[in-house]
Amino acid sequence: MNTVKIGKRELNRQNNQNSILDAARECFSEAGFDKVTVRDIIRKTGLASGTFYNYFPDKQSIFSALIEDYLQRLNAHLKEFRKNANTLEQFINSSYLAIFTAIAEDPVIYKLVHANDKIVEDIYGSSIFGLALNSLEGDIKTAIESKIIPDLNVDFLAASFCGVGSELGLKLAETDSDPKKAAFFATKLFLGGLHEIGAASN
């Protein structure tokens, strides 16, 4: 098995970038995005200002990097947890478990994003759950075609799914609850509603 050795310069680059991201996470969490300045972040890292600007042009780019890291972990969990979902309940539970696991791994970021949703929309043109909505809609269409999910309005279904996930996710981040228990609760709540709507639509 070949292992790739990281050079001293590359290791230093990674350490500097992680230091900036950690400092930004802490600053944003303490004061909110609007009140934090680049100077605040630099001061907390102990790095020179020139070093900071080698990695990020402004605080918005740091905020974007934190969000993108969260979304990458979320998408990785979605892919992993849903790969063996063959029933409606498995699909819903694995989706919620992926969302709640990503939140539990970094509740600070989720609370930060939730509190600064307007900033997220300014950057991406969508909320954090809106960003996840695009891939979710595609997955729902595939699940409908595979007869895993009833043939319902995809837009309504995805929006409802994200609405429940968003608010339960915030509770999870604030209370350090178990992602599996939160996913179980959301699944049973959502599953009952799906059956009722499906029956009424037939």
Side-chain angles (χ1 to χ4, degrees):
M1 180 177 178
N2 295 326
T3 57
V4 179
K5 294 187 69 174
I6 299 176
K8 184 176 180 181
R9 179 172 296 185
E10 174 62 18
L11 183 61
N12 186 58
R13 189 192 72 79
Q14 291 181 7
N15 288 337
N16 285 344
Q17 185 166 325
N18 288 336
S19 177
I20 293 169
L21 290 171
D22 288 342
R25 177 190 282 105
E26 189 174 342
C27 287
F28 290 149
S29 178
E30 291 173 351
F33 178 85
D34 288 332
K35 294 183 179 179
V36 172
T37 66
V38 169
R39 186 184 299 274
D40 294 330
I41 298 171
I42 293 173
R43 188 180 300 115
K44 193 170 285 287
T45 65
L47 298 172
S49 59
T51 301
F52 172 90
Y53 288 110
N54 284 335
Y55 299 94
F56 299 99
D58 50 38
K59 69 173 183 177
Q60 181 170 299
S61 64
I62 304 175
F63 195 55
S64 294
L66 292 172
I67 293 172
E68 286 161 12
D69 177 67
Y70 168 80
L71 289 174
Q72 286 176 3
R73 286 186 288 106
L74 171 59
N75 289 328
H77 287 317
L78 285 170
K79 182 177 180 180
E80 174 65 22
F81 293 163
R82 288 203 307 227
K83 65 182 180 182
N84 296 318
N86 297 313
T87 67
L88 174 61
E89 183 164 1
Q90 289 173 350
F91 179 86
I92 295 172
N93 184 262
S94 60
S95 299
Y96 275 125
L97 183 58
I99 292 170
F100 296 150
T101 298
I103 292 172
E105 287 174 346
D106 198 343
V108 170
I109 287 299
Y110 186 76
K111 286 189 288 185
L112 176 64
V113 169
H114 199 280
N116 294 277
D117 200 45
K118 181 62 170 62
I119 305 298
V120 177
E121 289 193 18
D122 288 344
I123 296 173
Y124 293 99
S126 176
S127 67
I128 190 69
F129 265 88
L131 294 173
L133 199 63
N134 293 330
S135 61
L136 180 60
E137 287 177 346
D139 291 337
I140 288 174
K141 289 177 182 177
T142 300
I144 289 175
E145 292 169 359
S146 302
K147 309 299 183 183
I148 296 174
I149 289 179
D151 188 5
L152 303 172
N153 186 301
V154 174
D155 292 337
F156 288 174
L157 195 55
S160 299
F161 191 94
C162 286
V164 172
S166 175
E167 294 307 314
L168 278 180
L170 183 58
K171 291 296 181 185
L172 182 73
E174 291 174 340
T175 61
D176 194 29
S177 300
D178 184 350
K180 290 183 179 180
K181 290 182 178 179
F184 176 83
F185 178 89
T187 299
K188 293 302 182 183
L189 176 67
F190 206 77
L191 193 61
L194 275 180
H195 284 313
E196 289 293 328
I197 297 171
S201 299
N202 293 328

